[in-house]
Amino acid sequence: MTKKQERHIVATIGTIVFMVLVFLLLWLLRLFAVAPEQEEGVEVAFGEVQEAGGYMPEQSEAVPLPSPEPAAPEAVAALSDNDLMTQEDEEALALRREQERKERERQQAEAERIKREKEEKVRQEAERIAREAAEAERKAKEAEAIANANKLGSLFGNTDNTTGSGDGQGNGQKGNPIGHGSTGNGSWSLAGRGIKGTLPQPANTFNQEGRVIVEIRVNAAGQVISAVHKGGTVSDKQTIQLALDAAKKAKFTEGDQDQIGTITYNFKFN
């Protein structure tokens, strides 16, 4: 290669390098260039002239917009879920209140019924106690009358096993004030009363010997209205029934009220 060619190549390379450096320098200057700040100010309109830049076209007369037509009334909206739930809650509440009212009325009626039952039981118990007290008092008076009659009989030499004031055949017992006596195979005791006629005797078909005591209740007219087996030594039911049947036939003198006495039968085989 000649020297001329070498100089030409060096010149070309130098030119290229120079151009690259210039390009880089320009690029750096543009990159770091500071933008100028805009000046603040107030816009001023200079009229409606084209030169002032403020010309405004003449505005046309405003056309009124049509007013919106009123919306047609909407149909009544269907009940919402909340409305339905509210109605259901109110119905359930009313039903529960009605049930609670009926339950209160039932409990009140039950309490009144229980109260009436208690009052009735108290009344019945009081009546029972009063009846028992009256019965006990009556029995005590009868026992006292019998005891007094027995004392009076002992003064005349008569006891339950004596013939009383009659002749032993039942002709002298009517109106006997002593209230006891004996005829045949039996004896009787009824305070302040006498026996009419003779003491009825049991049928002679008994199966056992011994003594049967019968408690009798006599009304004011002197009739025996009940007869109950109260003891003795006989256990045969047929013999006891004979004594009861005979005692029911006895007749006594009149009195003021019902009285309780006894009739005793002695059964002996002939």
Side-chain angles (χ1 to χ4, degrees):
M1 177 180 297
T2 62
K3 292 182 178 180
K4 186 178 180 178
Q5 292 177 342
E6 289 178 358
R7 288 194 299 271
H8 179 74
I9 292 171
V10 172
T12 302
I13 294 172
T15 302
I16 293 172
V17 172
F18 176 77
M19 292 179 65
V20 170
L21 291 175
V22 171
F23 176 78
L24 290 176
L25 179 62
L26 294 175
W27 182 79
L28 290 174
L29 291 176
R30 182 178 178 84
L31 180 65
F32 293 101
V34 179
E37 296 182 359
Q38 295 181 356
E39 295 181 359
E40 296 181 0
V42 179
E43 292 184 357
V44 178
F46 293 98
E48 297 179 357
V49 292
Q50 294 181 356
E51 291 76 7
Y55 175 78
M56 295 292 291
E58 185 177 355
Q59 295 182 354
S60 62
E61 185 177 353
V63 179
L65 296 176
S67 59
E69 297 181 359
E74 298 181 357
V76 178
L79 294 177
S80 64
D81 292 341
N82 291 335
D83 295 336
L84 292 176
M85 292 178 62
T86 302
Q87 289 184 356
E88 292 178 356
D89 292 343
E90 291 177 354
E91 292 177 357
L93 179 60
L95 179 60
R96 185 172 69 252
R97 288 178 177 175
E98 179 66 16
Q99 291 176 349
E100 291 176 353
R101 183 185 64 80
K102 291 181 178 180
E103 180 63 18
R104 288 194 299 271
E105 292 178 354
R106 187 192 66 78
Q107 292 178 357
Q108 184 177 2
E110 182 68 13
E112 291 178 356
R113 183 186 65 79
I114 295 174
K115 180 181 178 181
R116 288 194 300 269
E117 289 181 354
K118 289 182 178 180
E119 291 177 350
E120 180 65 17
K121 288 181 179 179
V122 171
R123 184 187 64 80
Q124 292 178 356
E125 182 67 14
E127 290 181 353
R128 184 187 65 80
I129 294 174
R131 286 196 302 270
E132 292 179 354
E135 183 68 12
E137 183 179 0
R138 184 184 62 78
K139 288 183 178 181
K141 290 181 178 179
E142 289 182 356
E144 183 180 1
I146 291 173
N148 293 334
N150 290 335
K151 290 179 181 179
L152 182 61
S154 64
L155 294 178
F156 288 94
N158 296 323
T159 62
D160 285 347
N161 296 323
T162 62
T163 59
S165 59
D167 56 5
Q169 302 299 322
N171 295 326
Q173 296 296 331
K174 183 176 181 180
N176 185 358
I178 296 176
H180 62 89
S182 61
T183 60
N185 293 326
S187 61
W188 56 272
S189 176
L190 187 63
R193 302 273 194 112
I195 194 167
K196 292 182 178 180
T198 60
L199 183 66
Q201 296 297 313
N204 192 14
T205 58
F206 53 89
N207 300 321
Q208 184 180 357
E209 287 188 341
R211 184 174 71 255
V212 176
I213 301 174
V214 179
E215 182 182 85
I216 58 173
R217 177 181 287 273
V218 182
N219 61 16
Q223 298 174 339
V224 177
I225 57 178
S226 69
V228 182
H229 178 226
K230 297 300 290 183
T233 60
V234 175
S235 60
D236 180 61
K237 292 183 179 180
Q238 181 180 355
T239 303
I240 293 173
Q241 189 61 45
L242 292 174
L244 294 174
D245 294 340
K248 291 178 182 179
K249 299 176 183 179
K251 302 291 183 182
F252 294 88
T253 56
E254 291 77 6
D256 296 332
Q257 59 184 358
D258 291 358
Q259 288 182 261
I260 294 178
T262 59
I263 295 177
T264 302
Y265 288 106
N266 296 310
F267 292 90
K268 294 180 181 180
F269 293 123
N270 294 330

Short mmCIF file of all heavy atoms in Angstrom, two decimals, residues 150 158-162 180-182 186-189:
data_model
loop_
_atom_site.label_atom_id
_atom_site.label_comp_id
_atom_site.label_asym_id
_atom_site.label_seq_id
_atom_site.Cartn_x
_atom_site.Cartn_y
_atom_site.Cartn_z
N ASN A 150 -129.85 -48.71 135.16
CA ASN A 150 -129.34 -49.87 135.87
C ASN A 150 -129.27 -49.61 137.38
O ASN A 150 -129.57 -50.48 138.20
CB ASN A 150 -127.98 -50.26 135.34
CG ASN A 150 -128.05 -50.85 133.94
OD1 ASN A 150 -129.10 -51.39 133.54
ND2 ASN A 150 -126.95 -50.76 133.19
N ASN A 158 -133.88 -55.46 140.52
CA ASN A 158 -133.95 -56.01 139.16
C ASN A 158 -132.60 -55.80 138.46
O ASN A 158 -131.96 -54.77 138.60
CB ASN A 158 -135.03 -55.31 138.34
CG ASN A 158 -136.41 -55.56 138.92
OD1 ASN A 158 -136.69 -56.64 139.41
ND2 ASN A 158 -137.26 -54.54 138.87
N THR A 159 -132.18 -56.76 137.66
CA THR A 159 -130.99 -56.66 136.83
C THR A 159 -131.35 -57.10 135.43
O THR A 159 -132.49 -57.44 135.14
CB THR A 159 -129.85 -57.56 137.38
OG1 THR A 159 -130.30 -58.92 137.34
CG2 THR A 159 -129.51 -57.21 138.82
N ASP A 160 -130.37 -57.15 134.58
CA ASP A 160 -130.62 -57.55 133.20
C ASP A 160 -131.13 -58.97 133.11
O ASP A 160 -131.76 -59.35 132.13
CB ASP A 160 -129.34 -57.44 132.36
CG ASP A 160 -129.05 -55.98 132.07
OD1 ASP A 160 -129.94 -55.16 132.29
OD2 ASP A 160 -127.91 -55.69 131.64
N ASN A 161 -130.87 -59.77 134.11
CA ASN A 161 -131.30 -61.16 134.06
C ASN A 161 -132.55 -61.42 134.87
O ASN A 161 -132.96 -62.56 135.03
CB ASN A 161 -130.18 -62.07 134.58
CG ASN A 161 -128.95 -62.00 133.68
OD1 ASN A 161 -129.08 -61.90 132.48
ND2 ASN A 161 -127.76 -62.05 134.30
N THR A 162 -133.16 -60.33 135.38
CA THR A 162 -134.38 -60.50 136.16
C THR A 162 -135.58 -60.41 135.25
O THR A 162 -135.47 -60.14 134.06
CB THR A 162 -134.48 -59.43 137.25
OG1 THR A 162 -134.55 -58.15 136.62
CG2 THR A 162 -133.27 -59.48 138.17
N HIS A 180 -135.09 -51.74 130.78
CA HIS A 180 -134.48 -53.04 130.53
C HIS A 180 -135.31 -54.09 131.24
O HIS A 180 -136.10 -53.80 132.15
CB HIS A 180 -133.03 -53.08 131.01
CG HIS A 180 -132.88 -52.88 132.48
ND1 HIS A 180 -132.91 -53.90 133.39
CD2 HIS A 180 -132.71 -51.75 133.22
CE1 HIS A 180 -132.77 -53.43 134.62
NE2 HIS A 180 -132.64 -52.10 134.53
N GLY A 181 -135.11 -55.32 130.83
CA GLY A 181 -135.85 -56.42 131.44
C GLY A 181 -135.58 -57.70 130.67
O GLY A 181 -134.79 -57.73 129.72
N SER A 182 -136.22 -58.81 131.09
CA SER A 182 -136.01 -60.09 130.43
C SER A 182 -137.31 -60.87 130.41
O SER A 182 -138.11 -60.77 131.33
CB SER A 182 -134.92 -60.91 131.13
OG SER A 182 -135.30 -61.20 132.47
N GLY A 186 -134.69 -64.44 126.60
CA GLY A 186 -133.97 -63.25 126.16
C GLY A 186 -134.14 -62.09 127.10
O GLY A 186 -134.97 -62.12 128.02
N SER A 187 -133.32 -61.05 126.87
CA SER A 187 -133.41 -59.83 127.67
C SER A 187 -133.18 -58.64 126.73
O SER A 187 -132.64 -58.78 125.64
CB SER A 187 -132.36 -59.84 128.79
OG SER A 187 -131.04 -59.91 128.25
N TRP A 188 -133.59 -57.46 127.20
CA TRP A 188 -133.46 -56.27 126.38
C TRP A 188 -133.03 -55.08 127.23
O TRP A 188 -133.20 -55.09 128.46
CB TRP A 188 -134.80 -55.95 125.68
CG TRP A 188 -135.94 -55.79 126.65
CD1 TRP A 188 -136.76 -56.78 127.14
CD2 TRP A 188 -136.35 -54.57 127.28
NE1 TRP A 188 -137.67 -56.27 128.03
CE2 TRP A 188 -137.45 -54.91 128.12
CE3 TRP A 188 -135.95 -53.25 127.21
CZ2 TRP A 188 -138.12 -53.96 128.90
CZ3 TRP A 188 -136.62 -52.32 127.98
CH2 TRP A 188 -137.70 -52.67 128.80
N SER A 189 -132.49 -54.05 126.57
CA SER A 189 -132.07 -52.84 127.25
C SER A 189 -132.24 -51.67 126.29
O SER A 189 -131.62 -51.64 125.22
CB SER A 189 -130.60 -52.95 127.70
OG SER A 189 -130.16 -51.74 128.28
#
